[in-house]
Amino acid sequence: MNIIINNQDFILHQSGAVFWEKEKILLISDVHLGKVAHFRKHGIGIPNNAIFENFTRLKTVLELFNPKTIVFLGDLFHSKINNEWDLFVQWNKEHSQKIILVEGNHDIISKENYSDLNIEIYTELQIGNFLLTHHPTEKEDFFNFCGHIHPGIQLRGLGRQFLSLSCFFHKPNQLIFPAFGEFTGNSYLIPTEKDKVYAITKEGIIEVAIN
Protein backbone atom coordinates (compact mmCIF):
# COMPACT_ATOMS: atom_id res chain seq x y z
CA MET A 1 0.00 0.00 0.00
CA ASN A 2 1.26 3.47 -0.93
CA ILE A 3 0.71 6.44 1.37
CA ILE A 4 1.91 10.05 1.27
CA ILE A 5 3.26 11.80 4.36
CA ASN A 6 4.67 15.34 4.19
CA ASN A 7 4.69 15.10 0.39
CA GLN A 8 6.87 11.97 0.54
CA ASP A 9 5.89 8.57 -0.86
CA PHE A 10 6.03 5.52 1.39
CA ILE A 11 5.18 1.89 0.67
CA LEU A 12 3.71 -0.14 3.53
CA HIS A 13 4.57 -3.83 3.26
CA GLN A 14 2.69 -6.66 4.91
CA SER A 15 5.88 -7.77 6.70
CA GLY A 16 5.62 -4.59 8.77
CA ALA A 17 8.40 -2.81 6.88
CA VAL A 18 8.07 0.58 5.16
CA PHE A 19 10.01 1.72 2.11
CA TRP A 20 10.76 5.44 1.80
CA GLU A 21 10.97 5.88 -1.95
CA LYS A 22 12.85 9.18 -2.24
CA GLU A 23 15.51 8.30 0.34
CA LYS A 24 15.71 4.61 -0.65
CA ILE A 25 15.43 3.73 3.05
CA LEU A 26 13.84 0.57 4.40
CA LEU A 27 12.32 1.16 7.84
CA ILE A 28 11.79 -1.81 10.16
CA SER A 29 10.85 -1.93 13.84
CA ASP A 30 10.93 -4.51 16.62
CA VAL A 31 12.57 -7.50 14.95
CA HIS A 32 13.51 -8.96 18.35
CA LEU A 33 16.19 -11.27 16.99
CA GLY A 34 17.20 -13.83 19.59
CA LYS A 35 13.75 -14.07 21.13
CA VAL A 36 13.10 -17.58 19.81
CA ALA A 37 16.44 -18.83 21.13
CA HIS A 38 15.75 -17.02 24.42
CA PHE A 39 12.36 -18.74 24.77
CA ARG A 40 13.78 -22.15 23.87
CA LYS A 41 16.54 -21.73 26.46
CA HIS A 42 13.86 -21.21 29.09
CA GLY A 43 11.93 -24.33 28.06
CA ILE A 44 9.20 -22.76 25.93
CA GLY A 45 8.36 -25.15 23.09
CA ILE A 46 8.98 -23.11 19.94
CA PRO A 47 10.25 -25.01 16.87
CA ASN A 48 13.94 -24.38 16.25
CA ASN A 49 13.33 -23.53 12.58
CA ALA A 50 11.36 -20.47 13.74
CA ILE A 51 14.77 -18.85 14.34
CA PHE A 52 15.19 -18.47 10.58
CA GLU A 53 11.80 -16.88 9.91
CA ASN A 54 12.93 -13.31 10.62
CA PHE A 55 15.89 -13.69 8.26
CA THR A 56 13.58 -15.06 5.56
CA ARG A 57 11.33 -12.02 5.93
CA LEU A 58 14.32 -9.68 5.81
CA LYS A 59 15.49 -11.36 2.62
CA THR A 60 12.05 -10.92 1.06
CA VAL A 61 11.79 -7.17 1.68
CA LEU A 62 15.41 -6.48 0.71
CA GLU A 63 14.99 -8.27 -2.60
CA LEU A 64 11.72 -6.44 -3.23
CA PHE A 65 12.87 -2.88 -2.47
CA ASN A 66 16.68 -3.01 -2.84
CA PRO A 67 17.22 -0.10 -0.42
CA LYS A 68 20.40 1.89 0.01
CA THR A 69 19.90 2.10 3.78
CA ILE A 70 18.16 -0.04 6.40
CA VAL A 71 16.98 1.71 9.56
CA PHE A 72 15.89 -0.48 12.46
CA LEU A 73 13.59 1.49 14.79
CA GLY A 74 14.69 -0.24 17.96
CA ASP A 75 14.55 -3.65 19.59
CA LEU A 76 16.62 -5.26 16.86
CA PHE A 77 17.85 -7.90 19.29
CA HIS A 78 15.62 -9.11 22.10
CA SER A 79 18.09 -9.46 24.95
CA LYS A 80 21.60 -10.74 25.56
CA ILE A 81 23.68 -12.32 22.81
CA ASN A 82 22.76 -15.90 21.96
CA ASN A 83 23.27 -18.12 18.91
CA GLU A 84 21.01 -15.92 16.78
CA TRP A 85 23.66 -13.20 17.00
CA ASP A 86 25.96 -15.38 14.88
CA LEU A 87 23.21 -15.63 12.26
CA PHE A 88 22.83 -11.85 12.30
CA VAL A 89 26.59 -11.36 11.88
CA GLN A 90 26.53 -13.66 8.85
CA TRP A 91 23.46 -11.89 7.46
CA ASN A 92 25.22 -8.54 7.86
CA LYS A 93 28.27 -9.77 5.96
CA GLU A 94 26.07 -10.77 3.03
CA HIS A 95 24.55 -7.30 2.56
CA SER A 96 26.08 -4.04 1.39
CA GLN A 97 23.42 -1.60 2.60
CA LYS A 98 24.20 0.98 5.23
CA ILE A 99 22.57 -0.14 8.48
CA ILE A 100 21.38 2.17 11.25
CA LEU A 101 19.92 1.19 14.61
CA VAL A 102 17.76 3.64 16.55
CA GLU A 103 18.07 2.21 20.04
CA GLY A 104 15.12 0.58 21.76
CA ASN A 105 14.62 -0.56 25.34
CA HIS A 106 15.64 -4.14 24.48
CA ASP A 107 18.86 -3.10 22.75
CA ILE A 108 21.22 -3.92 25.62
CA ILE A 109 24.00 -5.52 23.57
CA SER A 110 27.24 -3.51 23.72
CA LYS A 111 27.57 -0.81 21.08
CA GLU A 112 30.99 -2.23 20.26
CA ASN A 113 29.34 -5.35 18.86
CA TYR A 114 27.41 -3.19 16.41
CA SER A 115 30.30 -0.88 15.57
CA ASP A 116 32.36 -3.95 14.71
CA LEU A 117 29.71 -4.61 12.04
CA ASN A 118 29.78 -0.96 10.85
CA ILE A 119 26.28 -0.40 12.17
CA GLU A 120 25.55 3.17 13.27
CA ILE A 121 23.59 3.67 16.49
CA TYR A 122 21.44 6.66 17.49
CA THR A 123 19.01 7.39 20.28
CA GLU A 124 16.90 9.24 17.69
CA LEU A 125 17.42 10.24 14.09
CA GLN A 126 16.18 13.27 12.16
CA ILE A 127 15.86 13.12 8.39
CA GLY A 128 14.33 16.29 7.00
CA ASN A 129 11.11 16.91 8.91
CA PHE A 130 10.86 13.29 10.02
CA LEU A 131 11.87 12.09 13.49
CA LEU A 132 12.80 8.41 13.82
CA THR A 133 12.58 6.95 17.33
CA HIS A 134 11.78 3.70 19.09
CA HIS A 135 9.26 5.00 21.61
CA PRO A 136 6.39 7.12 20.27
CA THR A 137 7.56 10.73 20.54
CA GLU A 138 5.95 14.07 19.82
CA LYS A 139 8.16 16.93 18.59
CA GLU A 140 6.89 20.15 17.08
CA ASP A 141 7.26 20.41 13.30
CA PHE A 142 8.25 16.74 12.95
CA PHE A 143 6.43 13.63 11.82
CA ASN A 144 7.42 10.68 14.02
CA PHE A 145 8.16 7.14 12.83
CA CYS A 146 8.33 4.77 15.79
CA GLY A 147 7.66 1.28 17.10
CA HIS A 148 7.73 -0.24 20.60
CA ILE A 149 3.99 -0.67 21.05
CA HIS A 150 3.46 -3.53 18.54
CA PRO A 151 0.07 -2.09 17.51
CA GLY A 152 -2.85 -4.28 16.65
CA ILE A 153 -6.53 -3.83 15.86
CA GLN A 154 -9.53 -6.01 16.65
CA LEU A 155 -12.21 -6.13 13.98
CA ARG A 156 -15.59 -7.22 15.24
CA GLY A 157 -18.15 -9.04 13.11
CA LEU A 158 -21.67 -10.30 13.66
CA GLY A 159 -22.37 -11.72 17.07
CA ARG A 160 -19.24 -12.19 19.14
CA GLN A 161 -16.88 -12.83 16.25
CA PHE A 162 -13.72 -10.75 16.04
CA LEU A 163 -10.44 -10.81 14.15
CA SER A 164 -7.14 -9.62 15.64
CA LEU A 165 -4.56 -8.19 13.23
CA SER A 166 -1.26 -6.37 13.47
CA CYS A 167 -1.39 -2.90 11.98
CA PHE A 168 0.30 0.36 11.13
CA PHE A 169 -1.31 2.95 13.40
CA HIS A 170 -1.30 6.38 11.74
CA LYS A 171 -1.90 9.35 13.99
CA PRO A 172 -1.92 12.92 12.57
CA ASN A 173 1.83 13.37 13.21
CA GLN A 174 2.98 9.83 13.85
CA LEU A 175 3.15 6.36 12.31
CA ILE A 176 3.55 3.50 14.79
CA PHE A 177 5.03 0.43 13.13
CA PRO A 178 3.92 -3.14 13.79
CA ALA A 179 6.52 -5.54 15.10
CA PHE A 180 8.48 -7.15 12.27
CA GLY A 181 9.59 -10.11 14.39
CA GLU A 182 7.86 -13.37 15.11
CA PHE A 183 6.31 -14.14 18.53
CA THR A 184 6.13 -10.51 19.61
CA GLY A 185 2.43 -10.08 20.43
CA ASN A 186 0.26 -7.00 19.95
CA SER A 187 -1.17 -4.14 21.95
CA TYR A 188 -4.66 -3.44 20.71
CA LEU A 189 -5.29 0.26 20.19
CA ILE A 190 -8.57 2.09 19.84
CA PRO A 191 -8.42 4.65 17.01
CA THR A 192 -10.12 8.02 17.05
CA GLU A 193 -11.65 9.76 14.05
CA LYS A 194 -8.31 11.53 13.51
CA ASP A 195 -6.40 8.25 13.13
CA LYS A 196 -5.92 5.85 10.25
CA VAL A 197 -5.37 2.13 10.65
CA TYR A 198 -3.68 -0.04 8.05
CA ALA A 199 -4.27 -3.66 9.02
CA ILE A 200 -1.99 -6.48 7.88
CA THR A 201 -3.69 -9.53 6.38
CA LYS A 202 -2.35 -12.58 4.58
CA GLU A 203 -3.38 -11.00 1.27
CA GLY A 204 -1.84 -7.60 1.93
CA ILE A 205 -2.67 -4.37 3.74
CA ILE A 206 -6.14 -2.88 4.08
CA GLU A 207 -7.24 0.47 5.48
CA VAL A 208 -9.76 -0.06 8.25
CA ALA A 209 -12.77 2.23 8.31
CA ILE A 210 -13.01 4.20 11.55
CA ASN A 211 -16.60 4.38 12.76
Side-chain angles (χ1 to χ4, degrees), residues 91-126:
W91 174 86
N92 182 73
K93 290 179 180 178
E94 294 171 355
H95 296 87
S96 60
Q97 287 91 353
K98 179 179 180 180
I99 299 178
I100 295 172
L101 170 61
V102 178
E103 285 183 298
N105 52 294
H106 279 272
D107 293 310
I108 62 174
I109 293 173
S110 171
K111 291 181 174 63
E112 293 181 358
N113 291 92
Y114 290 109
S115 62
D116 287 344
L117 302 178
N118 295 316
I119 295 174
E120 299 179 11
I121 300 181
Y122 299 88
T123 55
E124 64 178 39
L125 183 64
Q126 295 181 11

Side-chain angles (χ1 to χ4, degrees), residues 157-177:
L158 297 175
R160 297 181 179 179
Q161 295 177 333
F162 67 90
L163 179 64
S164 299
L165 299 170
S166 298
C167 70
F168 294 91
F169 201 87
H170 189 178
K171 293 174 173 285
N173 292 303
Q174 188 176 76
L175 183 67
I176 307 174
F177 283 50

Side-chain angles (χ1 to χ4, degrees), residues 17 72 77 79 87 92 96 101 117 125 127 145 169 181 185 189 211:
F72 291 105
F77 212 84
S79 185
L87 295 175
N92 182 73
S96 60
L101 170 61
L117 302 178
L125 183 64
I127 303 176
F145 288 131
F169 201 87
L189 305 180
N211 296 324

